[in-house]
Amino acid sequence: MIAETYAVIWYLLVGVLLAGYAVLDGFDLGVGGLHLLARGDRDRRVFLNAIGPFWDGNQVWLVTGGGALFAAFPHVYATAFSGFYVAFILLLFMLIFRGVSIHVRSLRAGAAWRSFWDWAFSVSSLLASLLIGVALGNVAWGVPLTAGFRYQGDLWQQIHPYTVLTGLLVVAMFLMHGAIYLVLKTEGELNARVRTWVRPTIIAFIMLYVVVTMATLLYLPHMADPFREQPLLFLLPAFSVLAIANIPREVHHGREFRAFLSSAVAMLLLLALFGVGMFPELIHARPDPALSMTLHNAASSTKTLQTMLIMAAIGMPLVVAYTFHIYRVFQGKVKLDSMSY
Amino acid sequence: MDVVLLSRVQFALTIGFHYIYPPLSIGLGLVLVIMEGLYLKTGLAIYHQLARFWVRIFGLIFAFGVGTGIVMEFQFGTNWAQYARYVGDVFGSPLAAEGIFAFFLESGFLALLLFGWDRISKRMHFFATCMVCLGAHFSAIWIIVANSWMQTPAGYHIVETAIGPRAELTSFWAAVLNPSTLDRLWHTVMGAWQAGAFFVISVGAYYLLRRQHLEFAKTSMRVAFVVAMVASLAQLVSGHDSAVTVAAHQPAKLAAFEGVYETGPRADLTIAGWVDETNRTVRGVKIPDLLSWLVGFDAATVVKGLNEWPESDRPPVQLSFQLYHLMVAIGMTLILLAWGGGLLAWRGWLFERRWLLWIYVFAVLLPQISNQVGWAAAEIGRQPWIVYGLMRTADGVSDNISAGNVLFSLILFTLIYLALLVVFLVLLDQKIKHGPRVEDMPRTGEVVS
């Protein structure tokens, strides 16, 4: 029973870390996706410096989430990363390119240099978002696990209509989040242009949201089971629709920060929906769901989960406190100065 | 080629390339704390200029370290899935702890360090510098904990589960403070301090040779020489302690490092030489009895030789021996360079001797090489084990990936890392040639005191 409780707690905590990653790195990945739409060097520098102080810390949520997955559910870590080998290696390359391009892009003046790193930044941001979405889609759709959680993955089998849709959903979600973030950080003419990007990204997000939800209900009925059992859970999608609908309203009234918060809430609710649908599975197995990896059969020992919980209880409040403080120091519109990217 | 070999080459390549950057961040982090601390204490404008310039260099190094570092954390899953399953219960926690306690701290406060100059007070900025430096050191702690557990596993037991046997945690502190953690932590951090210090010294010497930024260069070098002197001497002690620990807990590794085949007392220490693996002997310059004496402060101390183990349980002897000896030789050279240069710089003589300055320009490579070969010796000397005495490297590799996939990633890593290295060197060269800027001086009226 105690073992069960700790496994459930870590299921939630890994989810919280990955949701933290989505909400925080999501906006800077989105800014990356929109980067090439900025015309002219100055506007592009504004974009880079809008995320400049934050992207690095945001990415740590992924690194820590990966570490927590390794420690709490080593089998899931092992099966997922080796099974999605090519996809994850590509994701790693994208993350390397992204980090380097943000930092080095403005260090030299040449037009070719800057244009190369602009493209590297934008393409790697889009592809990284897509790959994350494809991976999530596969986890939900199910992969052919055999006994012992062995999964001989193949990139071309991992890309099919459902996972492409979840990939595009994540791209659209991050673009929406990034566009709203840019509204928050830019001013003047650029701000006026950025505002026009909010609506199309929201529309793309909602359309994909609807399509993916329908596909999930049709093809992955097991994801809907928890909702049938506990109808109160339908409040999650209801609130998420309300949060999305609230975004254009807040933008219209010039309450940019509240628009950004709405977008964050909408994303969190969507991820919660995903988590509830998956629970207690971590990787769905098909064709035989009995072979699925769950928090019961793939977790670490209770001793390890307890130890980790103590570490998280000491460390994470500190992290949240100083992260919050750092965001406050850099709040407001972007101003370029001699230390900027 | 098989998956095991390809995965090992890929791990070696990715960690080797990554490990150019973290030692510089750790060492330079400390130098930054000293420089900014001196500015707060003395109010002298020169220290402000120093801190601003070196923070820019730090930012560049950090960006490359972060990018290449993410790869490391996920490679245990992509290429070493069997290992991850077998030891994840014990080995995963330090990696998670590294994220929680080190990476968040480093990257969060780095924002203040790089972009916060005009937004926060001087004291707050100094605090941020300290936190970044602390975060860099914390990351060293947790990764050394993880790696030391692979060298001298402790605090676990083997449990039979539905999926097969695996190592499970019995004592967190026994696993964290396993027999080799503290020695190896000390040893690694001192290597990092040397890397940072000699980097600053090298840039300073370069400016002096170009007769540019004289005051800036000399002050940078003085600060860095102090760090280099402390670190190089401490490295002698930590190196010795590490070797004694290896002798006690990984005797086959020590035997390979020193090229000892016959077990016995009065073992010789080879200063430099060549292992004749067919005749099981080492040719070279030897000091009688010294190895026994170093391991146990007594020439009668018995040192186990490689003959104790079957061939299949021995690490590659020649490679371990040469890498280890190169590391030691460089370590000794660095003591000479740090103390010789430090004393000459204190007297001001160093700054006038161009030939000496040239030596210090290139000395930046020495800690880099010794850090690389030292790590390689530690890892190759552990072979054929991935966890010493517990799991063989060949058993740790992912059994569900194809050689073709690993070859694909290995080729891409090689190409991308080569390109990144060029980009890094070009940008570093540009930043160094550009030198400190006018706006790095504190604005008028901003000088404290």
Side-chain angles (χ1 to χ4, degrees):
Chain A
M1 191 59 217
I2 290 181
E4 177 90 17
T5 311
Y6 277 105
V8 171
I9 291 174
W10 273 103
Y11 189 91
L12 286 173
L13 286 181
V14 170
V16 166
L17 285 168
L18 295 179
Y21 173 70
V23 167
L24 292 173
D25 216 33
F27 73 73
D28 62 61
L29 282 160
V31 170
L34 298 166
H35 184 69
L36 293 176
L37 293 179
R39 303 193 202 105
D41 188 60
R42 204 188 162 279
D43 288 357
R44 289 186 175 177
R45 284 190 62 203
V46 169
F47 277 21
L48 283 174
N49 286 287
I51 63 168
F54 309 122
W55 70 271
D56 196 355
N58 294 345
Q59 195 169 268
V60 176
W61 289 82
L62 178 69
V63 176
T64 305
L69 187 69
F70 191 178
F73 303 102
H75 289 296
V76 177
Y77 171 87
T79 300
F81 283 84
S82 57
F84 296 104
Y85 187 88
V86 176
F88 269 118
I89 292 289
L90 290 176
L91 176 63
L92 291 175
F93 287 144
M94 294 310 128
L95 294 180
I96 295 174
F97 263 112
R98 226 181 140 250
V100 169
S101 57
I102 294 170
H103 196 92
V104 308
R105 184 259 177 205
S106 302
L107 288 180
R108 288 173 80 85
W113 171 274
R114 292 195 167 186
S115 164
F116 174 81
W117 291 110
D118 282 336
W119 277 87
F121 173 47
S122 202
V123 171
S124 60
S125 299
L126 286 169
L127 259 179
S129 316
L130 186 75
L131 285 165
I132 290 166
V134 168
L136 288 176
N138 271 288
V139 165
W141 181 265
V143 293
L145 292 179
T146 53
F149 304 139
R150 218 167 149 283
Y151 166 41
Q152 183 104 36
D154 173 352
L155 182 66
W156 302 116
Q157 284 167 9
Q158 287 155 4
I159 298 175
H160 54 83
Y162 183 77
T163 60
V164 170
L165 280 174
T166 54
L168 291 175
L169 174 63
V170 169
V171 172
M173 178 168 85
F174 287 171
L175 287 177
M176 168 189 80
H177 202 43
I180 298 164
Y181 179 75
L182 285 172
V183 171
L184 194 62
K185 299 299 274 188
T186 55
E187 48 194 350
E189 213 178 303
L190 182 59
N191 183 272
R193 284 197 60 214
V194 169
R195 275 168 188 276
T196 64
W197 302 344
V198 174
R199 195 170 292 269
T201 54
I202 290 180
I203 291 171
F205 172 66
I206 292 175
M207 282 169 59
L208 283 158
Y209 193 168
V210 170
V211 174
V212 167
T213 306
M214 283 177 12
T216 306
L217 292 174
L218 272 176
Y219 296 102
L220 305 174
H222 68 273
M223 296 271 290
D225 287 344
F227 296 91
R228 270 191 282 276
E229 283 162 28
Q230 179 50 272
L232 265 182
L233 287 172
F234 277 108
L235 284 176
L236 279 177
F239 279 126
S240 122
V241 170
L242 282 179
I244 299 164
N246 188 42
I247 299 169
R249 200 175 73 93
E250 301 289 2
V251 172
H252 179 74
H253 289 292
R255 295 189 293 247
E256 294 152 357
F257 183 67
R258 286 169 65 168
F260 182 70
L261 276 187
S262 269
S263 164
V265 168
M267 288 168 71
L268 285 175
L269 289 170
L270 173 59
L271 291 166
L273 212 57
F274 179 80
V276 169
M278 287 294 294
F279 190 87
E281 289 181 358
L282 285 138
I283 300 180
H284 186 64
R286 88 168 32 211
D288 182 5
L291 293 169
S292 294
M293 305 184 76
T294 68
L295 61 90
H296 309 290
N297 63 18
S300 280
S301 66
T302 305
K303 172 92 185 164
T304 293
L305 297 179
Q306 276 173 334
T307 311
M308 292 262 301
L309 192 59
I310 296 172
M311 287 203 284
I314 297 170
M316 289 315 287
L318 284 170
V319 170
V320 171
Y322 61 66
T323 303
F324 185 74
H325 176 73
I326 290 160
Y327 269 82
R328 282 195 53 147
V329 168
F330 294 101
Q331 69 184 351
K333 305 290 182 188
V334 176
K335 305 266 187 251
L336 298 179
D337 63 34
S338 69
M339 296 305 276
S340 299
Y341 283 139
Chain B
M1 286 208 275
D2 66 335
V3 176
V4 179
L5 183 65
L6 286 167
S7 292
R8 286 184 65 187
V9 171
Q10 179 170 300
F11 202 95
L13 171 82
T14 49
I15 190 64
F17 186 69
H18 173 62
Y19 204 59
I20 295 172
Y21 307 101
L24 286 173
S25 305
I26 294 171
L28 201 51
L30 177 71
V31 172
L32 283 176
V33 167
I34 298 173
M35 286 171 174
E36 234 182 301
L38 283 171
Y39 174 60
L40 276 185
K41 194 169 178 337
T42 64
L44 293 174
I46 182 80
Y47 290 121
H48 188 269
Q49 190 188 32
L50 250 52
R52 295 271 301 222
F53 173 80
W54 289 109
V55 160
R56 278 202 295 279
I57 304 277
F58 184 91
L60 179 68
I61 292 167
F62 194 88
F64 280 76
V66 166
T68 54
I70 298 179
V71 176
M72 301 324 302
E73 176 165 3
F74 293 124
Q75 226 177 146
F76 297 110
T78 53
N79 292 68
W80 302 94
Q82 297 304 311
Y83 167 79
R85 286 182 205 287
Y86 193 67
V87 304
D89 194 277
V90 187
F91 186 84
S93 312
L95 296 195
E98 196 180 14
I100 296 172
F101 295 111
F103 294 150
F104 275 122
L105 195 66
E106 253 183 314
S107 57
F109 283 98
L110 181 75
L112 297 178
L113 189 64
L114 292 178
F115 306 108
W117 292 103
D118 301 329
R119 287 175 180 261
I120 50 178
S121 70
K122 283 191 274 284
R123 282 181 194 287
M124 187 62 205
H125 194 275
F126 177 63
F127 177 73
T129 310
C130 292
M131 289 302 110
V132 171
C133 175
L134 200 63
H137 284 75
F138 281 170
S139 75
I141 292 177
W142 289 108
I143 207 65
I144 294 296
V145 163
N147 184 266
S148 296
W149 190 84
M150 298 167 80
Q151 309 282 352
T152 52
Y156 71 98
H157 61 164
I158 301 297
V159 174
E160 206 47 59
T161 70
I163 300 106
R166 70 168 179 189
E168 287 190 0
L169 193 67
T170 54
S171 162
F172 174 72
W173 291 110
V176 167
L177 296 172
N178 65 69
S180 63
T181 299
L182 290 180
D183 290 326
R184 299 180 75 247
L185 175 64
W186 196 220
H187 197 54
T188 308
V189 170
M190 288 306 111
W193 285 14
Q194 288 176 307
F198 276 95
F199 176 68
V200 174
I201 291 169
S202 166
V203 175
Y206 174 77
Y207 286 152
L208 291 179
L209 284 166
R210 302 229 314 185
R211 298 195 171 85
Q212 281 177 326
H213 320 299
L214 299 182
E215 199 47 41
F216 174 89
K218 287 176 190 173
T219 317
S220 290
M221 287 172 82
R222 285 197 189 99
V223 171
F225 265 120
V226 173
V227 175
M229 287 161 86
V230 172
S232 61
L233 214 56
Q235 194 64 305
L236 189 67
V237 182
S238 75
H240 172 74
D241 286 349
S242 287
V244 173
T245 310
V246 170
H249 296 277
Q250 296 175 286
K253 190 192 216 178
L254 185 86
F257 280 173
E258 302 289 3
V260 178
Y261 278 93
E262 289 296 330
T263 300
R266 314 196 58 147
D268 303 338
L269 186 83
T270 309
I271 301 300
W274 189 260
V275 184
D276 182 346
E277 290 190 64
T278 39
N279 294 317
R280 301 187 164 197
T281 179
V282 176
R283 290 175 231 288
V285 186
K286 296 181 185 183
I287 302 179
D289 302 354
L290 188 59
L291 181 58
S292 281
W293 196 83
L294 281 175
V295 169
F297 288 108
D298 183 355
T301 309
V302 174
V303 175
K304 275 196 180 181
L306 287 161
N307 291 338
E308 298 274 329
W309 293 273
E311 202 115 10
S312 59
D313 286 355
R314 288 183 207 159
V317 184
Q318 183 76 269
L319 194 54
S320 306
F321 178 93
Q322 297 301 348
L323 292 170
Y324 177 78
H325 278 78
L326 182 55
M327 174 191 74
V328 173
I330 292 176
M332 297 298 168
T333 313
L334 288 175
I335 295 176
L336 185 73
L337 286 174
W339 283 82
L343 295 175
L344 290 173
W346 179 48
R347 289 305 213 151
W349 292 340
L350 174 68
F351 306 134
E352 315 299 326
R353 307 283 186 285
R354 293 184 68 82
W355 62 274
L356 262 175
L357 290 173
W358 274 115
I359 292 178
Y360 284 97
V361 168
F362 288 102
V364 65
L365 294 173
L366 292 178
Q368 286 290 344
I369 295 170
S370 63
N371 282 335
Q372 294 280 340
V373 298
W375 263 110
E379 296 292 283
I380 293 169
R382 191 189 61 231
Q383 301 304 322
W385 305 97
I386 190 165
V387 183
Y388 194 72
L390 191 62
M391 184 185 215
R392 282 175 191 270
T393 307
D395 298 331
V397 83
S398 303
D399 60 356
N400 53 340
I401 54 174
S402 68
N405 277 352
V406 187
L407 190 63
F408 155 81
S409 57
L410 177 59
I411 291 172
L412 276 179
F413 270 120
T414 310
L415 295 176
I416 291 174
Y417 279 8
L418 274 174
L420 285 184
L421 185 64
V422 172
V423 170
F424 175 72
L425 291 175
V426 165
L427 292 174
L428 188 64
D429 180 64
Q430 172 190 309
K431 276 190 186 280
I432 291 170
K433 289 209 170 112
H434 196 283
R437 304 176 189 159
V438 183
E439 64 259 28
D440 291 342
M441 297 304 262
R443 279 181 237 140
T444 15
E446 205 185 53
V447 187
V448 272
S449 85

